[in-house]
Amino acid sequence: MVRFTISSLVLALCAYSNGVAGLDLDLSSEDSIKSVAKTIAYDMMTYYTGNLSGQIPGQLPGPPPNPNVLNAGYFWWEAGAMWGSLIDYWYYTGDTTYNAVVSQGLEFQVGENADYLPQNQTTGMGNDDQGFWGMSAMTAAELGFPDPPPDKPQWLALAQAVYNTQLQKVDDVCGGGLRWQAYSFLNGYDYKNSIANGCFFNIAARLAVYTGNATYADEASKIWDWMESVHLIDDSYNIFDGVPIASDKTCTEIRKPQFSYNAGVFLLGAAAMYKQTNGSAVWETRVNGLLNQTINVFFPEGIAYEVACEAALVHCTIDMFSYKAYLTRWMAATTKFAPFTYDRVIAALQTSARAAALQCSGSPADKPQGAGRMCGLSWSENSTWDGTSGVGQQMAALEVITSNLIQKAKDPLTNSTGGTSVGNPTAGTGDSSSQDPNAKDPKSAGDKAGAGILTAIVIAAVLAGLVWVSMPDEKMA
């Protein structure tokens, strides 16, 4: 993913205490949770224009042309993550308001080969970017989200296509693992990071549970073993950002920033492996280790906190504002695969949800219709709005609040317990474009429009003297 920081000037202009007490959340009331979630989801969707005439379905506005402009747009992957949050919203609340637009977005962006590698995203495609779309498709299959029409790609088959295209990219450099970027001509290809490998691990483990096919679990285990072998997962279950590939093809200089979504993506994957192995002691130990360290690192005083940037928000990139959404989403889902985690998880989710609701007290100038209720990132500041707003902040608040309904929610489905999503175990295996994007079919009309818009943005950025650089996380934290 490409990440930019937000200028201190913009934050200074936006941040103020507006005296609003935030959203009124009563966690003892299911109706209250659903009502607050409905408000947050509505405000989040005011950022989305893909369902309007002339716009591209599935994409959020962006990508950001200027790193110093608040809410200047979003990268492609975050839209895929947002659809996952709205699937969760439907799962927890039963509200079908956004189901049609979610389906449209997930279906429109599948790409020419139904593998979430659309040609018009080639110049910024990370394996993690593709992975987030694949995980949303996996969630749709597990939670019984309404299936697409028979002539459209199906949720399970899409997750399998992402898995298969990425399996082809696991190489022997540094003993295994996925590279950050999907193609060799992209800056960041010589970096192996935890989120790319975590997405693959997560999808593989969940496919193993859903399908009963142990081959997926075998590949998930290999990724875990590789992560430990290069010390991206240490003995205390810290998960570090990544490691550059040196000129001699070794990986020894670990970059040690910690991001909450890395902890979350491996936690849920490990819980799925615990489920798939019928409660093996090995995976129980790993789940416990990950959960305990996740709470220790990312929940100081019991409230979720993005340790890499939250102390000084000017260090947060546009992406980082959304990371707590995935952390809390995956912590809640973990309790379904590994029920012994429930008490620890729900305690962290409850304190964080109360704080997040209070932080939804902002009045950004670009969202007058949401005055006094737009969400910031700094939940530990309670009702003193931190001056930030955007899709990531709304998504994070939505996930942590709705996750408090996890105990009452139905268990994830599998092929043998009522899952209806149609799979294709060979999806993506014959797609040469997963390695060489030039092998893709000609663009569709919609893709041509998207590519034209992207080209115009790039030209404008060049004329403005801006240079877009894709770089490993630690350089931006």
Side-chain angles (χ1 to χ4, degrees):
M1 300 168 194
V2 185
R3 302 184 174 94
F4 295 133
T5 56
I6 294 174
S7 72
S8 56
L9 174 62
V10 171
L11 286 176
L13 290 172
C14 291
Y16 65 92
S17 175
N18 57 15
V20 177
L23 296 175
D24 184 13
L25 175 66
D26 177 3
L27 289 178
S28 68
S29 166
E30 185 174 338
D31 288 341
S32 175
I33 294 172
K34 291 180 178 180
S35 176
V36 169
K38 184 174 183 177
T39 296
I40 294 171
Y42 174 85
D43 288 338
M44 180 176 73
M45 288 301 286
T46 63
Y47 291 92
Y48 179 65
T49 60
N51 56 342
L52 301 179
S53 178
Q55 301 298 310
I56 302 175
Q59 292 184 196
L60 286 163
N66 188 330
N68 296 316
V69 178
L70 191 67
N71 295 333
Y74 302 88
F75 297 103
W76 178 73
W77 75 274
E78 192 164 340
M82 185 183 75
W83 302 132
S85 286
L86 287 171
I87 293 171
D88 280 348
Y89 171 74
W90 161 80
Y91 167 64
Y92 287 121
T93 69
D95 184 356
T96 61
T97 298
Y98 304 107
N99 284 13
V101 73
V102 170
S103 293
Q104 181 193 43
L106 285 172
E107 292 167 13
F108 195 87
Q109 293 294 326
V110 298
E112 297 76 9
N113 294 295
D115 55 9
Y116 286 121
L117 290 171
Q119 188 174 32
N120 65 352
Q121 298 298 328
T122 296
T123 57
M125 183 62 71
N127 286 313
D128 50 350
D129 301 338
Q130 182 196 23
F132 267 89
W133 286 86
M135 288 187 290
S136 289
M138 189 73 240
T139 297
E142 290 170 333
L143 302 187
F145 192 71
D147 293 322
D151 62 334
K152 299 287 186 181
Q154 303 299 298
W155 307 134
L156 179 59
L158 285 165
Q160 289 170 315
V162 171
Y163 166 86
N164 285 328
T165 57
Q166 294 198 348
L167 180 62
Q168 299 172 54
K169 297 174 184 175
V170 175
D171 60 30
D172 295 330
V173 177
C174 301
L178 272 174
R179 296 167 184 260
W180 177 27
Q181 295 298 295
Y183 304 120
S184 60
F185 54 81
L186 295 177
N187 190 13
Y189 185 74
D190 288 331
Y191 191 69
K192 293 198 171 186
N193 68 352
S194 293
I195 191 57
N197 285 279
C199 291
F200 180 75
F201 170 75
N202 183 294
I203 292 171
R206 292 161 67 187
L207 282 171
V209 173
Y210 192 96
T211 67
N213 185 340
T215 300
Y216 295 120
D218 292 341
E219 296 300 332
S221 292
K222 290 177 185 177
I223 291 295
W224 179 278
D225 292 344
W226 177 79
M227 289 282 295
E228 287 191 323
S229 73
V230 295
H231 307 296
L232 286 176
I233 299 177
D234 73 5
D235 292 342
S236 298
Y237 294 95
N238 292 300
I239 300 179
F240 303 118
D241 181 66
V243 59
I245 301 170
S247 58
D248 62 356
K249 303 302 182 183
T250 59
C251 293
T252 58
E253 299 294 327
I254 302 298
R255 306 297 167 85
K256 291 196 171 183
Q258 294 192 64
F259 299 101
S260 63
Y261 72 162
N262 282 330
V265 77
F266 276 96
L267 176 62
L268 178 56
M273 291 297 291
Y274 171 82
K275 174 76 171 180
Q276 195 275 336
T277 56
N278 297 312
S280 80
V282 169
W283 286 105
E284 181 177 358
T285 297
R286 290 169 175 173
V287 170
N288 274 321
L290 283 172
L291 179 57
N292 289 339
Q293 192 64 354
T294 295
I295 292 172
N296 180 53
V297 172
F298 295 105
F299 289 83
E301 301 181 5
I303 297 172
Y305 186 83
E306 196 60 48
V307 297
C309 74
E310 199 166 325
L313 292 173
V314 294
H315 296 305
C316 287
T317 66
I318 289 169
D319 293 346
M320 291 178 194
F321 285 108
S322 70
Y323 288 177
K324 290 193 291 190
Y326 322 126
L327 170 65
T328 55
R329 170 196 299 180
W330 291 326
M331 287 178 69
T334 289
T335 68
K336 291 300 190 183
F337 288 140
F340 64 86
T341 64
Y342 177 78
D343 288 345
R344 282 171 288 170
V345 168
I346 199 63
L349 293 178
Q350 286 175 344
T351 54
S352 296
R354 293 189 187 99
L358 290 173
Q359 180 61 200
C360 294
S361 61
S363 298
D366 63 335
K367 294 293 177 184
Q369 76 279 15
R373 68 176 192 231
M374 301 301 288
C375 304
L377 178 71
S378 304
W379 300 345
S380 58
E381 296 297 322
N382 294 312
S383 61
T384 302
W385 181 47
D386 65 10
T388 74
S389 59
V391 172
Q393 293 91 323
Q394 295 297 129
M395 198 188 331
L398 181 64
E399 287 282 9
V400 73
I401 289 169
T402 54
S403 289
N404 280 270
L405 296 172
I406 188 64
Q407 191 171 41
K408 295 182 179 180
K410 65 183 181 182
D411 289 341
L413 299 170
T414 69
N415 276 341
S416 60
T417 62
T420 61
S421 190
V422 176
N424 178 5
T426 64
T429 57
D431 180 9
S432 61
S433 65
S434 68
Q435 300 293 334
D436 176 13
N438 294 321
K440 286 184 179 291
D441 294 332
K443 299 182 185 69
S444 68
D447 288 334
K448 287 179 180 178
I453 292 169
L454 182 59
T455 300
I457 292 172
V458 171
I459 292 172
V462 171
L463 292 175
L466 299 173
V467 179
W468 292 8
V469 181
S470 173
M471 60 183 69
D473 290 344
E474 93 290 345
K475 295 182 180 178
M476 297 162 289

